[in-house]
Amino acid sequence: MTWIVSWNIQNGMGTDGNVSLQRIARVINELCEPDVICLQEISRHLPVFDKPGTPDQIAAISRLFPDYK
């Protein structure tokens, strides 16, 4: 069986208004050990939510899932 997780993470913002890629990674790992992870609305160098800087969320999530390419 192949496990696929597909999730629109809305730039990492939760319903509490906090942006946390660590929380998203934790939830994915609690769901299953997926073979494929598909994340939509993840930003790279895009100013989001009026926060300073332009985070590279792709690099950040890649560090949280080092076994995935």
Side-chain angles (χ1 to χ4, degrees):
M1 180 178 290
T2 300
W3 289 95
I4 299 172
V5 171
S6 179
W7 189 355
N8 180 330
I9 65 167
Q10 299 176 349
N11 298 106
M13 182 177 280
T15 57
D16 59 2
N18 293 316
V19 175
S20 175
L21 296 179
Q22 293 83 3
R23 177 173 43 192
I24 289 168
R26 185 182 72 246
V27 170
I28 290 171
N29 286 321
E30 288 172 356
L31 287 171
C32 63
E33 190 174 319
D35 298 296
V36 178
I37 301 172
C38 303
L39 301 176
Q40 297 83 45
E41 288 192 28
I42 185 166
S43 66
R44 173 173 269 171
H45 309 301
L46 175 70
V48 292
F49 310 120
D50 298 323
K51 303 230 183 226
T54 53
D56 187 346
Q57 290 186 328
I58 295 172
I61 205 81
S62 294
R63 286 190 295 275
L64 294 168
F65 292 102
D67 295 333
Y68 293 82
K69 299 207 183 248

